[in-house]
Amino acid sequence: MRNKMKYQVAFLGCESWEEDYILNKLSDKNISKISFFPVLSKISDFKKIIDFSIVSGFINSTFNEKHFSLLPNLKFLSTRSTGYDHIDLIAAKKYGIKVSNVPLYGANTVAEHTFALLLALARKIYPSITRTKQSNFSLDNLRGFDLKGKSIGIIGTGSIGAHVVRLAHGFQMKILLYDIYKNRSLAKKYQANYVSLRQLLSRSDIITLHVPYNKKTHHLINQANIKLLKPGSYIINTSRGGLIETKALLKALVSGQLAGAGLDVLEEEGLIKEEIQLLDRQASREKLNTLLHDHILLKFDNVIVTPHNAFNSEEALRRILDTTIENIKSFIAGRPINIVN
Ligand code: NAI
């Protein structure tokens, strides 16, 4: 029965090479139309995709109950990301919409970016380059530290965290792990030890986060437990901004408890990217407060921020598109894969 239905597929926020790639690979006799739209930022934009039964967006395409109520034909939402905290899964279920993600496109990609941030902090790469661009070759305040022998605390040992373990082992670091599920064979192979979150925070020279963002992990690092950190430690976050309470992070950086932070993600990064929209939109005092803290963070010399770019390698993007195309084809064939709700 399902196969007789013709599907219209809408892609949101693709680059032009991605559009060509998709058109080339996503041929299916049950698809009657494939269309591309920019990211839908205003609620009124959603009428553009009202006819579509399949929609694919990235993390900048938020979907909540209000959006679903405007899309009566939507059956399948295929996010081109691993994380799906930008989609209200409970509302999707209520509207009978299946949601899929791309679970395994970039374990190495995000882990490599994690080390790019860590090495940049450890070897003061950003100030070094800024200085030499100005023909200044002084070494003042550019002394870094070795990774070899340092303790790295890895929070979340799923696909990305496990790859961070492999890289950390290559750098001859001491490895502490925290996860609700323990990957014993990984720990054994790389001489790593699972400890409690408290122990990890108090014993690590460097902490890196690789858990998903949800109600349970909201502010996993917060004003209460950030005090446990080793004085002068570093934190890296390539997962989601909301895992760290920004206010607590700022305080720890000001007090020197944290010597630095490497962040690919910021709490309320959606707002910071589209600040101009705040002129038309109501944002809660709490969100505006976090935004202010983000702006202060960006100015710190010992904080380096990349614009949620950890996923962004050529190889990873192709893998994302391949899996998204498979997700859509499988859904149409009545055998949905990578479903998260
Ligand atoms: P994964 O699902 O393979 O691993 C997540 C791990 O976190 C699992 O081992 C799970 O047991 C653990 N976990 C879940 N809840 C926990 C809790 N409350 N306490 C302790 N551990 C918990 O996910 P993967 O592929 O490693 O990705 C991790 C996150 O990285 C994604 O959820 C996403 O937010 C982020 N990400 C960021 C990207 C970027 O461009 N910056 C790109 C891709 C993913």
mmCIF file of all heavy atoms in Angstrom, residues 279-322:
data_model
loop_
_atom_site.group_PDB
_atom_site.id
_atom_site.type_symbol
_atom_site.label_atom_id
_atom_site.label_comp_id
_atom_site.label_asym_id
_atom_site.label_seq_id
_atom_site.Cartn_x
_atom_site.Cartn_y
_atom_site.Cartn_z
ATOM 1 N N LEU A 279 15.174 41.400 17.372
ATOM 2 C CA LEU A 279 14.425 42.648 17.278
ATOM 3 C C LEU A 279 12.935 42.387 17.062
ATOM 4 O O LEU A 279 12.093 43.162 17.467
ATOM 5 C CB LEU A 279 14.980 43.508 16.128
ATOM 6 C CG LEU A 279 16.446 43.925 16.277
ATOM 7 C CD1 LEU A 279 16.933 44.649 15.042
ATOM 8 C CD2 LEU A 279 16.628 44.807 17.508
ATOM 9 N N ASP A 280 12.618 41.235 16.402
ATOM 10 C CA ASP A 280 11.202 40.930 16.136
ATOM 11 C C ASP A 280 10.641 39.881 17.083
ATOM 12 O O ASP A 280 9.463 39.610 17.089
ATOM 13 C CB ASP A 280 11.023 40.296 14.731
ATOM 14 C CG ASP A 280 11.618 41.139 13.663
ATOM 15 O OD1 ASP A 280 11.548 42.361 13.813
ATOM 16 O OD2 ASP A 280 12.151 40.567 12.692
ATOM 17 N N ARG A 281 11.544 39.197 17.802
ATOM 18 C CA ARG A 281 11.099 38.037 18.551
ATOM 19 C C ARG A 281 11.253 38.254 20.053
ATOM 20 O O ARG A 281 12.164 38.953 20.487
ATOM 21 C CB ARG A 281 12.001 36.857 18.154
ATOM 22 C CG ARG A 281 11.285 35.576 18.291
ATOM 23 C CD ARG A 281 12.028 34.320 17.996
ATOM 24 N NE ARG A 281 13.184 34.286 17.168
ATOM 25 C CZ ARG A 281 14.178 33.429 17.399
ATOM 26 N NH1 ARG A 281 14.158 32.630 18.422
ATOM 27 N NH2 ARG A 281 15.203 33.383 16.590
ATOM 28 N N GLN A 282 10.369 37.640 20.838
ATOM 29 C CA GLN A 282 10.497 37.699 22.285
ATOM 30 C C GLN A 282 11.476 36.609 22.708
ATOM 31 O O GLN A 282 11.343 35.480 22.263
ATOM 32 C CB GLN A 282 9.141 37.392 22.940
ATOM 33 C CG GLN A 282 8.084 38.450 22.725
ATOM 34 C CD GLN A 282 8.342 39.665 23.597
ATOM 35 O OE1 GLN A 282 8.943 39.537 24.659
ATOM 36 N NE2 GLN A 282 7.934 40.835 23.144
ATOM 37 N N ALA A 283 12.434 36.948 23.509
ATOM 38 C CA ALA A 283 13.294 35.899 24.077
ATOM 39 C C ALA A 283 13.252 36.073 25.588
ATOM 40 O O ALA A 283 13.185 37.195 26.087
ATOM 41 C CB ALA A 283 14.711 36.045 23.567
ATOM 42 N N SER A 284 13.268 34.950 26.309
ATOM 43 C CA SER A 284 13.158 35.051 27.766
ATOM 44 C C SER A 284 14.392 35.742 28.327
ATOM 45 O O SER A 284 15.456 35.768 27.716
ATOM 46 C CB SER A 284 13.022 33.654 28.374
ATOM 47 O OG SER A 284 14.241 32.964 28.199
ATOM 48 N N ARG A 285 14.201 36.273 29.520
ATOM 49 C CA ARG A 285 15.293 36.961 30.218
ATOM 50 C C ARG A 285 16.481 36.006 30.396
ATOM 51 O O ARG A 285 17.635 36.379 30.243
ATOM 52 C CB ARG A 285 14.753 37.391 31.587
ATOM 53 C CG ARG A 285 15.519 38.484 32.210
ATOM 54 C CD ARG A 285 14.959 38.829 33.583
ATOM 55 N NE ARG A 285 15.980 39.539 34.332
ATOM 56 C CZ ARG A 285 16.223 40.831 34.168
ATOM 57 N NH1 ARG A 285 15.520 41.533 33.333
ATOM 58 N NH2 ARG A 285 17.196 41.419 34.856
ATOM 59 N N GLU A 286 16.144 34.730 30.693
ATOM 60 C CA GLU A 286 17.184 33.717 30.914
ATOM 61 C C GLU A 286 18.034 33.531 29.639
ATOM 62 O O GLU A 286 19.249 33.483 29.693
ATOM 63 C CB GLU A 286 16.489 32.418 31.300
ATOM 64 C CG GLU A 286 17.414 31.408 31.916
ATOM 65 C CD GLU A 286 16.710 30.070 32.107
ATOM 66 O OE1 GLU A 286 15.464 30.034 32.112
ATOM 67 O OE2 GLU A 286 17.436 29.073 32.227
ATOM 68 N N LYS A 287 17.347 33.463 28.490
ATOM 69 C CA LYS A 287 18.074 33.281 27.227
ATOM 70 C C LYS A 287 18.944 34.497 26.923
ATOM 71 O O LYS A 287 20.093 34.362 26.485
ATOM 72 C CB LYS A 287 17.088 33.063 26.077
ATOM 73 C CG LYS A 287 16.482 31.686 26.097
ATOM 74 C CD LYS A 287 15.625 31.439 24.896
ATOM 75 C CE LYS A 287 15.056 30.032 25.019
ATOM 76 N NZ LYS A 287 14.875 29.340 23.822
ATOM 77 N N LEU A 288 18.386 35.689 27.159
ATOM 78 C CA LEU A 288 19.157 36.912 26.894
ATOM 79 C C LEU A 288 20.372 36.984 27.810
ATOM 80 O O LEU A 288 21.455 37.413 27.409
ATOM 81 C CB LEU A 288 18.268 38.143 27.082
ATOM 82 C CG LEU A 288 17.182 38.320 26.011
ATOM 83 C CD1 LEU A 288 16.273 39.484 26.356
ATOM 84 C CD2 LEU A 288 17.799 38.535 24.626
ATOM 85 N N ASN A 289 20.179 36.507 29.032
ATOM 86 C CA ASN A 289 21.264 36.495 29.999
ATOM 87 C C ASN A 289 22.394 35.562 29.523
ATOM 88 O O ASN A 289 23.577 35.904 29.577
ATOM 89 C CB ASN A 289 20.689 36.026 31.342
ATOM 90 C CG ASN A 289 21.612 36.351 32.474
ATOM 91 O OD1 ASN A 289 22.418 37.262 32.360
ATOM 92 N ND2 ASN A 289 21.516 35.594 33.548
ATOM 93 N N THR A 290 21.999 34.379 29.013
ATOM 94 C CA THR A 290 23.004 33.429 28.493
ATOM 95 C C THR A 290 23.727 34.047 27.299
ATOM 96 O O THR A 290 24.944 33.917 27.154
ATOM 97 C CB THR A 290 22.318 32.106 28.083
ATOM 98 O OG1 THR A 290 21.612 31.607 29.203
ATOM 99 C CG2 THR A 290 23.320 31.078 27.604
ATOM 100 N N LEU A 291 22.961 34.740 26.455
ATOM 101 C CA LEU A 291 23.549 35.397 25.280
ATOM 102 C C LEU A 291 24.613 36.409 25.704
ATOM 103 O O LEU A 291 25.698 36.491 25.110
ATOM 104 C CB LEU A 291 22.408 36.092 24.517
ATOM 105 C CG LEU A 291 22.676 36.537 23.107
ATOM 106 C CD1 LEU A 291 22.970 35.334 22.229
ATOM 107 C CD2 LEU A 291 21.448 37.266 22.548
ATOM 108 N N LEU A 292 24.306 37.153 26.754
ATOM 109 C CA LEU A 292 25.261 38.142 27.266
ATOM 110 C C LEU A 292 26.527 37.422 27.752
ATOM 111 O O LEU A 292 27.653 37.845 27.451
ATOM 112 C CB LEU A 292 24.604 38.929 28.414
ATOM 113 C CG LEU A 292 25.502 39.899 29.171
ATOM 114 C CD1 LEU A 292 25.967 41.024 28.242
ATOM 115 C CD2 LEU A 292 24.764 40.512 30.358
ATOM 116 N N HIS A 293 26.336 36.305 28.474
ATOM 117 C CA HIS A 293 27.486 35.535 28.954
ATOM 118 C C HIS A 293 28.312 35.011 27.771
ATOM 119 O O HIS A 293 29.534 34.983 27.815
ATOM 120 C CB HIS A 293 27.025 34.380 29.846
ATOM 121 C CG HIS A 293 26.672 34.818 31.227
ATOM 122 N ND1 HIS A 293 25.465 35.383 31.542
ATOM 123 C CD2 HIS A 293 27.380 34.801 32.371
ATOM 124 C CE1 HIS A 293 25.442 35.688 32.826
ATOM 125 N NE2 HIS A 293 26.591 35.338 33.357
ATOM 126 N N ASP A 294 27.629 34.566 26.711
ATOM 127 C CA ASP A 294 28.347 34.095 25.506
ATOM 128 C C ASP A 294 29.250 35.201 24.959
ATOM 129 O O ASP A 294 30.398 34.962 24.594
ATOM 130 C CB ASP A 294 27.351 33.705 24.396
ATOM 131 C CG ASP A 294 26.686 32.360 24.649
ATOM 132 O OD1 ASP A 294 27.149 31.628 25.537
ATOM 133 O OD2 ASP A 294 25.699 32.053 23.945
ATOM 134 N N HIS A 295 28.700 36.410 24.885
ATOM 135 C CA HIS A 295 29.468 37.531 24.329
ATOM 136 C C HIS A 295 30.704 37.824 25.178
ATOM 137 O O HIS A 295 31.771 38.119 24.645
ATOM 138 C CB HIS A 295 28.596 38.784 24.212
ATOM 139 C CG HIS A 295 27.791 38.774 22.950
ATOM 140 N ND1 HIS A 295 28.352 38.994 21.714
ATOM 141 C CD2 HIS A 295 26.492 38.527 22.721
ATOM 142 C CE1 HIS A 295 27.414 38.898 20.789
ATOM 143 N NE2 HIS A 295 26.281 38.600 21.366
ATOM 144 N N ILE A 296 30.544 37.702 26.496
ATOM 145 C CA ILE A 296 31.689 37.948 27.385
ATOM 146 C C ILE A 296 32.745 36.850 27.154
ATOM 147 O O ILE A 296 33.929 37.126 27.009
ATOM 148 C CB ILE A 296 31.246 38.020 28.865
ATOM 149 C CG1 ILE A 296 30.272 39.190 29.041
ATOM 150 C CG2 ILE A 296 32.446 38.170 29.796
ATOM 151 C CD1 ILE A 296 29.557 39.235 30.388
ATOM 152 N N LEU A 297 32.253 35.599 27.058
ATOM 153 C CA LEU A 297 33.159 34.448 26.816
ATOM 154 C C LEU A 297 34.011 34.653 25.562
ATOM 155 O O LEU A 297 35.206 34.372 25.554
ATOM 156 C CB LEU A 297 32.317 33.204 26.561
ATOM 157 C CG LEU A 297 32.114 32.164 27.623
ATOM 158 C CD1 LEU A 297 31.402 30.975 27.025
ATOM 159 C CD2 LEU A 297 33.426 31.734 28.256
ATOM 160 N N LEU A 298 33.350 35.126 24.504
ATOM 161 C CA LEU A 298 34.030 35.275 23.212
ATOM 162 C C LEU A 298 35.234 36.217 23.308
ATOM 163 O O LEU A 298 36.166 36.117 22.530
ATOM 164 C CB LEU A 298 33.049 35.809 22.155
ATOM 165 C CG LEU A 298 31.994 34.823 21.662
ATOM 166 C CD1 LEU A 298 30.900 35.530 20.889
ATOM 167 C CD2 LEU A 298 32.630 33.758 20.791
ATOM 168 N N LYS A 299 35.196 37.107 24.282
ATOM 169 C CA LYS A 299 36.271 38.104 24.407
ATOM 170 C C LYS A 299 37.478 37.582 25.187
ATOM 171 O O LYS A 299 38.536 38.189 25.170
ATOM 172 C CB LYS A 299 35.737 39.361 25.100
ATOM 173 C CG LYS A 299 34.697 40.107 24.289
ATOM 174 C CD LYS A 299 34.642 41.566 24.730
ATOM 175 C CE LYS A 299 33.704 42.367 23.867
ATOM 176 N NZ LYS A 299 32.351 42.452 24.410
ATOM 177 N N PHE A 300 37.299 36.473 25.905
ATOM 178 C CA PHE A 300 38.399 35.962 26.737
ATOM 179 C C PHE A 300 39.542 35.439 25.859
ATOM 180 O O PHE A 300 39.299 34.684 24.914
ATOM 181 C CB PHE A 300 37.898 34.802 27.615
ATOM 182 C CG PHE A 300 37.191 35.220 28.860
ATOM 183 C CD1 PHE A 300 36.280 36.250 28.849
ATOM 184 C CD2 PHE A 300 37.433 34.568 30.057
ATOM 185 C CE1 PHE A 300 35.614 36.638 29.992
ATOM 186 C CE2 PHE A 300 36.770 34.934 31.215
ATOM 187 C CZ PHE A 300 35.861 35.970 31.182
ATOM 188 N N ASP A 301 40.791 35.803 26.222
ATOM 189 C CA ASP A 301 41.949 35.333 25.448
ATOM 190 C C ASP A 301 42.144 33.828 25.559
ATOM 191 O O ASP A 301 42.681 33.204 24.650
ATOM 192 C CB ASP A 301 43.237 36.015 25.954
ATOM 193 C CG ASP A 301 43.293 37.457 25.478
ATOM 194 O OD1 ASP A 301 42.603 37.769 24.486
ATOM 195 O OD2 ASP A 301 44.010 38.245 26.117
ATOM 196 N N ASN A 302 41.760 33.258 26.708
ATOM 197 C CA ASN A 302 41.990 31.817 26.907
ATOM 198 C C ASN A 302 40.783 30.962 26.513
ATOM 199 O O ASN A 302 40.672 29.809 26.901
ATOM 200 C CB ASN A 302 42.402 31.540 28.366
ATOM 201 C CG ASN A 302 41.407 32.121 29.349
ATOM 202 O OD1 ASN A 302 40.524 32.884 28.964
ATOM 203 N ND2 ASN A 302 41.544 31.749 30.606
ATOM 204 N N VAL A 303 39.882 31.563 25.759
ATOM 205 C CA VAL A 303 38.724 30.804 25.255
ATOM 206 C C VAL A 303 38.767 30.856 23.735
ATOM 207 O O VAL A 303 38.867 31.935 23.145
ATOM 208 C CB VAL A 303 37.397 31.418 25.757
ATOM 209 C CG1 VAL A 303 36.193 30.704 25.142
ATOM 210 C CG2 VAL A 303 37.327 31.362 27.279
ATOM 211 N N ILE A 304 38.752 29.681 23.113
ATOM 212 C CA ILE A 304 38.656 29.685 21.650
ATOM 213 C C ILE A 304 37.328 29.048 21.249
ATOM 214 O O ILE A 304 36.900 28.051 21.825
ATOM 215 C CB ILE A 304 39.863 28.989 20.965
ATOM 216 C CG1 ILE A 304 40.100 27.600 21.538
ATOM 217 C CG2 ILE A 304 41.130 29.831 21.064
ATOM 218 C CD1 ILE A 304 41.142 26.818 20.765
ATOM 219 N N VAL A 305 36.700 29.684 20.284
ATOM 220 C CA VAL A 305 35.358 29.246 19.884
ATOM 221 C C VAL A 305 35.334 29.019 18.379
ATOM 222 O O VAL A 305 35.813 29.864 17.615
ATOM 223 C CB VAL A 305 34.297 30.318 20.266
ATOM 224 C CG1 VAL A 305 32.899 29.884 19.824
ATOM 225 C CG2 VAL A 305 34.309 30.587 21.766
ATOM 226 N N THR A 306 34.818 27.874 17.976
ATOM 227 C CA THR A 306 34.572 27.642 16.545
ATOM 228 C C THR A 306 33.051 27.560 16.366
ATOM 229 O O THR A 306 32.333 27.210 17.303
ATOM 230 C CB THR A 306 35.275 26.361 16.044
ATOM 231 O OG1 THR A 306 34.971 25.276 16.942
ATOM 232 C CG2 THR A 306 36.779 26.541 15.967
ATOM 233 N N PRO A 307 32.558 27.895 15.168
ATOM 234 C CA PRO A 307 31.101 28.086 15.000
ATOM 235 C C PRO A 307 30.297 26.808 14.736
ATOM 236 O O PRO A 307 29.687 26.664 13.689
ATOM 237 C CB PRO A 307 31.033 29.039 13.808
ATOM 238 C CG PRO A 307 32.243 28.721 13.005
ATOM 239 C CD PRO A 307 33.308 28.268 13.952
ATOM 240 N N HIS A 308 30.318 25.868 15.651
ATOM 241 C CA HIS A 308 29.662 24.554 15.495
ATOM 242 C C HIS A 308 30.091 23.935 14.160
ATOM 243 O O HIS A 308 29.267 23.640 13.293
ATOM 244 C CB HIS A 308 28.134 24.667 15.572
ATOM 245 C CG HIS A 308 27.490 23.367 15.954
ATOM 246 N ND1 HIS A 308 26.417 23.262 16.775
ATOM 247 C CD2 HIS A 308 27.797 22.082 15.614
ATOM 248 C CE1 HIS A 308 26.067 22.005 16.932
ATOM 249 N NE2 HIS A 308 26.904 21.261 16.222
ATOM 250 N N ASN A 309 31.388 23.761 14.074
ATOM 251 C CA ASN A 309 32.008 23.396 12.796
ATOM 252 C C ASN A 309 32.671 22.023 12.855
ATOM 253 O O ASN A 309 33.264 21.577 11.879
ATOM 254 C CB ASN A 309 33.077 24.474 12.497
ATOM 255 C CG ASN A 309 33.497 24.502 11.060
ATOM 256 O OD1 ASN A 309 32.685 24.276 10.172
ATOM 257 N ND2 ASN A 309 34.776 24.751 10.831
ATOM 258 N N ALA A 310 32.543 21.330 14.006
ATOM 259 C CA ALA A 310 33.289 20.078 14.186
ATOM 260 C C ALA A 310 32.910 19.017 13.155
ATOM 261 O O ALA A 310 33.730 18.196 12.760
ATOM 262 C CB ALA A 310 33.067 19.543 15.597
ATOM 263 N N PHE A 311 31.673 19.045 12.711
ATOM 264 C CA PHE A 311 31.193 18.022 11.755
ATOM 265 C C PHE A 311 31.687 18.292 10.338
ATOM 266 O O PHE A 311 31.592 17.428 9.464
ATOM 267 C CB PHE A 311 29.647 18.052 11.720
ATOM 268 C CG PHE A 311 29.130 19.292 11.040
ATOM 269 C CD1 PHE A 311 28.777 19.267 9.700
ATOM 270 C CD2 PHE A 311 29.067 20.489 11.721
ATOM 271 C CE1 PHE A 311 28.359 20.428 9.055
ATOM 272 C CE2 PHE A 311 28.649 21.646 11.087
ATOM 273 C CZ PHE A 311 28.296 21.618 9.753
ATOM 274 N N ASN A 312 32.214 19.488 10.105
ATOM 275 C CA ASN A 312 32.279 20.044 8.756
ATOM 276 C C ASN A 312 33.542 19.657 7.992
ATOM 277 O O ASN A 312 34.372 20.510 7.670
ATOM 278 C CB ASN A 312 32.141 21.568 8.884
ATOM 279 C CG ASN A 312 31.828 22.249 7.580
ATOM 280 O OD1 ASN A 312 31.587 21.585 6.564
ATOM 281 N ND2 ASN A 312 31.857 23.556 7.582
ATOM 282 N N SER A 313 33.680 18.358 7.691
ATOM 283 C CA SER A 313 34.766 17.953 6.786
ATOM 284 C C SER A 313 34.114 17.416 5.512
ATOM 285 O O SER A 313 32.964 16.973 5.540
ATOM 286 C CB SER A 313 35.651 16.882 7.430
ATOM 287 O OG SER A 313 35.010 15.622 7.402
ATOM 288 N N GLU A 314 34.849 17.462 4.429
ATOM 289 C CA GLU A 314 34.284 17.006 3.140
ATOM 290 C C GLU A 314 33.785 15.572 3.242
ATOM 291 O O GLU A 314 32.707 15.234 2.757
ATOM 292 C CB GLU A 314 35.352 17.082 2.052
ATOM 293 C CG GLU A 314 35.586 18.498 1.616
ATOM 294 C CD GLU A 314 36.466 18.607 0.401
ATOM 295 O OE1 GLU A 314 36.625 17.609 -0.327
ATOM 296 O OE2 GLU A 314 36.991 19.712 0.205
ATOM 297 N N GLU A 315 34.606 14.729 3.887
ATOM 298 C CA GLU A 315 34.260 13.308 3.966
ATOM 299 C C GLU A 315 32.994 13.116 4.800
ATOM 300 O O GLU A 315 32.104 12.351 4.436
ATOM 301 C CB GLU A 315 35.414 12.516 4.589
ATOM 302 C CG GLU A 315 36.700 12.500 3.776
ATOM 303 C CD GLU A 315 37.558 13.751 3.941
ATOM 304 O OE1 GLU A 315 37.156 14.685 4.667
ATOM 305 O OE2 GLU A 315 38.645 13.814 3.328
ATOM 306 N N ALA A 316 32.922 13.850 5.931
ATOM 307 C CA ALA A 316 31.761 13.692 6.815
ATOM 308 C C ALA A 316 30.486 14.166 6.123
ATOM 309 O O ALA A 316 29.436 13.531 6.245
ATOM 310 C CB ALA A 316 31.983 14.468 8.110
ATOM 311 N N LEU A 317 30.581 15.265 5.396
ATOM 312 C CA LEU A 317 29.370 15.789 4.745
ATOM 313 C C LEU A 317 28.830 14.804 3.723
ATOM 314 O O LEU A 317 27.613 14.627 3.587
ATOM 315 C CB LEU A 317 29.658 17.135 4.078
ATOM 316 C CG LEU A 317 29.741 18.309 5.047
ATOM 317 C CD1 LEU A 317 29.903 19.614 4.305
ATOM 318 C CD2 LEU A 317 28.506 18.383 5.937
ATOM 319 N N ARG A 318 29.749 14.156 2.995
ATOM 320 C CA ARG A 318 29.283 13.161 2.017
ATOM 321 C C ARG A 318 28.626 11.980 2.736
ATOM 322 O O ARG A 318 27.601 11.478 2.305
ATOM 323 C CB ARG A 318 30.445 12.699 1.116
ATOM 324 C CG ARG A 318 30.280 13.286 -0.287
ATOM 325 C CD ARG A 318 31.395 12.901 -1.210
ATOM 326 N NE ARG A 318 32.362 13.989 -1.225
ATOM 327 C CZ ARG A 318 33.629 13.893 -0.886
ATOM 328 N NH1 ARG A 318 34.139 12.750 -0.502
ATOM 329 N NH2 ARG A 318 34.412 14.938 -0.946
ATOM 330 N N ARG A 319 29.237 11.581 3.860
ATOM 331 C CA ARG A 319 28.640 10.471 4.620
ATOM 332 C C ARG A 319 27.258 10.867 5.157
ATOM 333 O O ARG A 319 26.335 10.063 5.173
ATOM 334 C CB ARG A 319 29.560 10.043 5.776
ATOM 335 C CG ARG A 319 30.812 9.301 5.310
ATOM 336 C CD ARG A 319 31.522 8.628 6.489
ATOM 337 N NE ARG A 319 32.100 9.574 7.412
ATOM 338 C CZ ARG A 319 33.366 9.997 7.389
ATOM 339 N NH1 ARG A 319 34.205 9.544 6.465
ATOM 340 N NH2 ARG A 319 33.812 10.848 8.286
ATOM 341 N N ILE A 320 27.113 12.130 5.576
ATOM 342 C CA ILE A 320 25.809 12.604 6.080
ATOM 343 C C ILE A 320 24.760 12.491 4.974
ATOM 344 O O ILE A 320 23.649 11.988 5.185
ATOM 345 C CB ILE A 320 25.900 14.080 6.548
ATOM 346 C CG1 ILE A 320 26.693 14.181 7.837
ATOM 347 C CG2 ILE A 320 24.506 14.687 6.732
ATOM 348 C CD1 ILE A 320 26.922 15.607 8.325
ATOM 349 N N LEU A 321 25.121 12.958 3.773
ATOM 350 C CA LEU A 321 24.151 12.919 2.664
ATOM 351 C C LEU A 321 23.825 11.479 2.297
ATOM 352 O O LEU A 321 22.657 11.141 2.058
ATOM 353 C CB LEU A 321 24.687 13.678 1.449
ATOM 354 C CG LEU A 321 24.786 15.205 1.622
ATOM 355 C CD1 LEU A 321 25.261 15.850 0.330
ATOM 356 C CD2 LEU A 321 23.460 15.823 2.053
ATOM 357 N N ASP A 322 24.841 10.609 2.249
ATOM 358 C CA ASP A 322 24.597 9.203 1.888
ATOM 359 C C ASP A 322 23.614 8.560 2.868
ATOM 360 O O ASP A 322 22.675 7.881 2.462
ATOM 361 C CB ASP A 322 25.911 8.409 1.870
ATOM 362 C CG ASP A 322 26.779 8.778 0.675
ATOM 363 O OD1 ASP A 322 26.229 9.321 -0.315
ATOM 364 O OD2 ASP A 322 28.004 8.536 0.712
#
